[in-house]
């Protein structure tokens, strides 16, 4: 490569997406797919509310917007929140080599499992990402539980 | 419940979707989401070729077409092929209780992992599903490897 990737800089793109989602009244999680030299391939945010689409988590949205590729070994998934099992499965199946994560305080998905399976994980503990989710879960718990498939009576 | 579910009958809906995908020149994998009494919630097939969308595997397409739900504990995912890690992650994250699978001969995804995590797995070894994938992988290997994120030089 030769070029230095700044994880915080890449995260800022995902955080912009999360802020867009928040402004639209949606689940404030954002993501972006880059190649290993830092070129942006696709960016997106959770679209459950906006499109009535439960399949568009932030990571799947960024992946979708990157379009078709022969493979993903040279890519980095950047997300504001620890990827849930659905999005962790995406990373593992498509062989995405690295995941940069804003925070895993408000929710911990499958990033440990990814690490065990050879994916490079960078966890940034970004206070702005944590604040976004803390506020969202406090104000819209029913939407949050729906987004992760947890019956609200649990 | 009281009502008897016939896995082969549910599979026929997923197989119809796979046949539709084949007729459209796409990846011939189909899926359908039912509730545990056998009511169809959503059906779909892989849309990589048709929509240029790498995120729409058969299972994610059926899940998407079922729309938003508070939770998925009372649902069954039916798919013509063993679910890849991406689609297995979907099943696990959303707490889908049962997966009915056409075949796992041409490709084995994460259904063993799902079983270890409490998901009821029914593997039907359906010859028509196996024939569909055998023919597809023989005739379009590059498309198949792209669909599961495997670099074709491997």
């Amino acid at each position: 490569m030769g070029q230095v990737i700044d994880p915080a800089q890449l995260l800022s793109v995902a955080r912009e997406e999360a802020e867009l989602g928040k402004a639209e009244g949606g689940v404030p999680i954002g993501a972006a797919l880059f190649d290993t030299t830092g070129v942006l391939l696709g960016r997106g945010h959770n679209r459950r509310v906006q499109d009535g689409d439960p399949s568009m988590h932030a990571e799947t949205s960024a992946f979708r917007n990157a379009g078709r590729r022969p493979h993903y070994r040279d890519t980095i998934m950047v997300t504001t929140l620890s990827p849930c099992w659905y999005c962790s499965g995406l990373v593992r199946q498509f062989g995405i080599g690295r995941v940069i994560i804003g925070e895993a305080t408000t929710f911990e998905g499958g990033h440990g499992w990814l690490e065990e399976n050879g994916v490079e994980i960078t966890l940034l503990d970004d206070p702005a990402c944590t604040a976004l989710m803390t506020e969202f879960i406090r104000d819209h718990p029913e939407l949050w539980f729906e987004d992760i498939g947890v019956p609200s009576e649990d």
Side-chain angles (χ1 to χ4, degrees), chain A:
Chain A
M1 287 198 314
Q3 195 172 342
V4 177
I5 292 292
D6 177 3
Q9 193 183 356
L10 301 193
L11 180 64
S12 69
V13 176
R15 206 171 47 222
E16 277 177 21
E17 287 290 329
E19 293 280 6
L20 279 171
K22 179 185 174 184
E24 294 164 357
V27 179
I29 306 175
L33 190 71
F34 293 90
D35 75 13
T36 48
T37 68
V39 173
L40 179 66
L41 303 172
R43 54 191 287 173
H45 53 271
N46 187 298
R47 304 201 61 82
R48 173 176 298 273
V49 172
Q50 296 90 325
D51 298 343
D53 185 350
S55 75
M56 281 298 116
H57 274 193
E59 297 90 331
T60 47
S61 181
F63 178 80
R64 179 186 218 186
N65 290 335
R68 288 174 60 180
R69 297 178 70 80
H71 67 82
Y72 297 82
R73 293 225 172 142
D74 57 346
T75 66
I76 303 172
M77 179 65 83
V78 185
T79 173
T80 55
L81 182 65
S82 175
C84 79
W85 287 115
Y86 175 41
C87 298
S88 294
L90 174 88
V91 168
R92 181 166 177 186
Q93 183 61 49
F94 291 100
I96 293 170
R98 184 176 181 187
V99 180
I100 295 172
I101 300 167
E103 61 107 353
T105 305
T106 63
F107 172 80
E108 184 168 335
H111 73 260
W113 176 72
L114 289 175
E115 197 160 35
E116 286 165 20
N117 284 285
V119 179
E120 182 182 352
I121 302 292
T122 305
L123 181 54
L124 292 177
D125 277 326
D126 179 78
C129 290
T130 307
L132 263 173
M133 280 306 288
T134 301
E135 182 189 314
F136 170 68
I137 295 171
R138 184 193 66 208
D139 294 346
H140 304 283
E142 72 301 334
L143 192 51
W144 171 236
F145 289 129
E146 181 190 318
D147 198 56
I148 53 174
V150 175
S152 53
E153 65 267 28
D154 277 16

